[in-house]
Amino acid sequence: MSNRRTVVGVMGAGEGASAEAVALAEELGECISARGWVLLTGGRPAGVMAAASRGAAQVEGHLVVGVLPDEGTGDDRQKTADLDLALFTGMGKARNVINVLSADVVVVCGGGGPGTASEAAHALNGGRPLILLAVPPLWRDFFCSLGEGVESASDVQECCRLIEARLGTVLSRAKAPPS
């Protein structure tokens, strides 16, 4: 039996994130931390990444991990979301694979651009459950058409219930979150 904590990846738009996606991401980050799960994002101080990290950091005992695209040299080392652990990859957009494969469940919050779409595709390719939270209908229809393992939620509470259900089937031997 593993003592590893459950990791939930939250992906979405950075600078172009809508106000709705930012609000949902902050609430989602808090919900994830409140359940004792680790939050993993792209780590940048923008959009969904920053909002989810900010929400998670409000909960005592939180653990927020950011997988960043740059090498973390100079001023870039301090330009992150509210993280407990910053992982500097120097891999640019290729770090999206690390984001997804390090997560037990991936949530796309509000849609996004090509980077977010690539993370959703990597989740499907990597066998990670994918939950789409308040994404545009085109995103939902497209990713749901690609195969099993994709679910859609319209609000954070529904999303967290779906995460719990997916974790029950994916990580049946994982350590339960602290109460």
Side-chain angles (χ1 to χ4, degrees), residues 87-150:
L87 303 174
F88 296 96
T89 66
M91 297 177 68
K93 290 174 180 36
R95 64 88 147 84
N96 291 353
V97 176
I98 295 170
N99 284 346
V100 169
L101 295 182
S102 296
D104 297 306
V105 174
V106 174
V107 177
V108 169
C109 182
T116 306
S118 78
E119 288 165 326
H122 287 307
L124 294 175
N125 280 335
R128 299 305 188 270
L130 176 62
I131 300 172
L132 307 171
L133 173 59
V135 299
L138 181 63
W139 276 62
R140 185 188 61 242
D141 295 347
F142 176 71
F143 284 107
C144 286
S145 76
L146 294 180
E148 296 180 23
V150 182

Side-chain angles (χ1 to χ4, degrees), residues 5-135:
R5 287 176 64 181
T6 298
V7 178
V8 178
V10 175
M11 313 302 159
E15 289 78 6
S18 69
E20 177 190 14
V22 168
L24 285 169
E26 187 165 347
E27 183 182 350
L28 179 60
E30 185 174 358
C31 185
I32 288 167
S33 275
R35 285 168 168 74
W37 301 329
V38 175
L39 172 69
L40 181 142
T41 73
R44 293 189 309 106
V48 166
M49 297 169 274
S53 298
R54 186 171 51 251
Q58 295 174 28
V59 177
E60 187 174 334
H62 64 272
L63 180 54
V64 181
V65 178
V67 180
L68 291 129
D70 56 31
E71 294 178 4
T73 56
D75 291 341
D76 286 344
R77 193 155 190 85
Q78 301 307 316
K79 293 180 183 173
T80 70
D82 190 0
L83 306 175
D84 296 306
L85 179 60
L87 303 174
F88 296 96
T89 66
M91 297 177 68
K93 290 174 180 36
R95 64 88 147 84
N96 291 353
V97 176
I98 295 170
N99 284 346
V100 169
L101 295 182
S102 296
D104 297 306
V105 174
V106 174
V107 177
V108 169
C109 182
T116 306
S118 78
E119 288 165 326
H122 287 307
L124 294 175
N125 280 335
R128 299 305 188 270
L130 176 62
I131 300 172
L132 307 171
L133 173 59
V135 299

